[in-house]
Amino acid sequence: MGIEKGTPVLVAAVDNDRMALLALKGILPQLLPAAQWLWGVGNADEAVAKALNPETRPRLLLVDVSLGEATGVSVCRKIRVRTDRVMLLGITAFSVDTYAERLAAAGAQGIVSKADIPQLAKALRTVAAGGTFAPDSVASVTFRTAADAYQSLTDNGTATPTVRGTDAGDDGAANRAAKLGAKESETLHLLSRGLTYDQIAAQWGVAASTVRTHAHRAVDKLGAHSLAHAIAIWLSN
């Protein structure tokens, strides 16, 4: 699934930071000369809908791993269980080590730091051409091609693609809730009481990004669509 000469590479992005989207759009021609910017959105559900619509489907979707109440991991999984025609590249302002394994498991083709422009250029070209990309710091993580990831997530092509965790009260949700770590459970508990990331961080004496990471891991483990959905699942068990 390489890039045919003369064929533009349709690129889209989902990032809840509007300035980051504008920056990506502006620098994209320098990083990937064959690229054609298709769209940029800040909402996870909108990104999934556009990526699955043949009329707005990009070849390459840049997915910010932190999207407020949703996660880039859940966006990748929702897209990959439905199609192998969109290449997925995770981008982050945090450490790539934090999200690499979960993105790979969700069907993404790679992850790269937003701040490392040379690596970003290399990742864009590699993934757009149908390959996979992992920075040296996460070289042990195996990213699969879109086709291989799709086949794996859909049970070798025989299962009907589904998104886990659609019912906050089912046995599967209860089992996944039991697998949450202590900090992940405590994070959901405190968030359910109305505390913010900053308030929890101050209470624990850690950075707000650490609390956010616990929350995102909880969302992924529960198979939830959003942070609010994860809290609902946790409260029901």
Side-chain angles (χ1 to χ4, degrees), residues 81-184:
V81 297
R82 296 286 299 278
T83 183
D84 63 357
R85 300 193 62 181
V86 181
M87 311 298 119
L88 302 168
L89 177 62
I91 56 175
T92 180
F94 302 107
S95 170
V96 295
D97 304 40
T98 304
Y99 299 96
E101 289 187 7
R102 285 178 289 149
L103 277 174
Q109 279 55 73
I111 186 173
V112 67
S113 169
K114 295 179 183 179
D116 193 332
I117 301 304
Q119 287 281 286
L120 181 56
K122 185 177 180 180
L124 285 168
R125 293 168 184 172
T126 301
V127 174
T132 62
F133 181 85
D136 291 340
S137 63
V138 291
S140 61
V141 177
T142 301
F143 286 96
R144 294 166 294 183
T145 64
D148 287 346
Y150 171 76
Q151 184 176 23
S152 176
L153 288 176
T154 56
D155 195 18
N156 294 320
T158 60
T160 301
T162 59
V163 178
R164 298 174 64 191
T166 55
D167 183 351
D170 65 9
D171 291 339
N175 291 334
R176 292 192 294 275
K179 295 180 180 179
L180 290 181
K183 282 297 185 183
E184 292 156 358

Side-chain angles (χ1 to χ4, degrees), residues 9 12 16 22 35 46-48 57 66 69 74 80 97 102 110 117 128-129 139 145 172 180 184 199 205 222 227 234:
V9 178
N16 62 347
L22 291 175
E46 184 178 2
V48 172
R57 180 173 59 214
S66 179
E69 291 193 349
S74 64
R80 184 57 69 232
D97 304 40
R102 285 178 289 149
I117 301 304
T145 64
L180 290 181
E184 292 156 358
Q199 290 172 330
L222 292 172
L227 179 56
W234 183 82

